Amino acid sequence: MIFFKTEKHQRTITIKKDVRDGILSYCKMNHPNECILVLRGKSRKGKILVDGLVIPPFFHTGPTFAGFPHSFLPFDTSYVGTVHSHPSGVAKPSVTDLHNFFGFVSIIIQSPYEDGDVFAYDRDGNLLEVTISSDQS
Ligand SMILES: [Zn+2]
């Protein structure tokens, strides 16, 4: 019997606690509209660290879709993905979300935007494990 070693990189994502808190309060501020933010950080061998946020220029928002034209973003390799809110309270990525995938990870925050309402997805819509880091360094 042959055992195949799975070569698929299981991506993991770590978000700094102050960044996570910033995302949650931004979502609450914009409720009941969706909001979107760009994630800054690092990605190495499938491990993604989110350590900063950027408010995208010219973003448009509404109760069902938040987006921004990617072409307005300056080329910056420190952008690892985006985060947006789902005021409906269901964190499942929509077809539009997957079409507008940017970077390595798409984080969705579902209403009511508490600590347990943070979900991260890869390009294929697979749920990733999220770790919150309280490391202040
Ligand atoms: Zn969405």
Side-chain angles (χ1 to χ4, degrees), residues 26-99:
Y26 194 73
C27 289
K28 285 176 187 169
M29 248 163 57
N30 283 281
H31 189 82
N33 287 330
E34 273 196 40
C35 64
I36 186 162
L37 292 163
V38 178
L39 303 167
R40 295 191 74 152
K42 299 175 193 71
S43 171
R44 191 167 294 161
K45 290 181 182 162
K47 290 191 198 310
I48 301 161
L49 171 71
V50 178
D51 60 10
L53 293 170
V54 181
I55 297 174
F58 313 116
F59 78 99
H60 52 273
T61 184
T64 56
F65 177 68
F68 61 94
H70 293 172
S71 54
F72 283 113
L73 279 180
F75 178 76
D76 188 328
T77 52
S78 70
Y79 294 158
V80 293
T82 58
V83 54
H84 73 283
S85 60
H86 273 190
S88 62
V90 181
K92 198 177 162 7
S94 66
V95 174
T96 316
D97 292 341
L98 295 175
H99 270 290

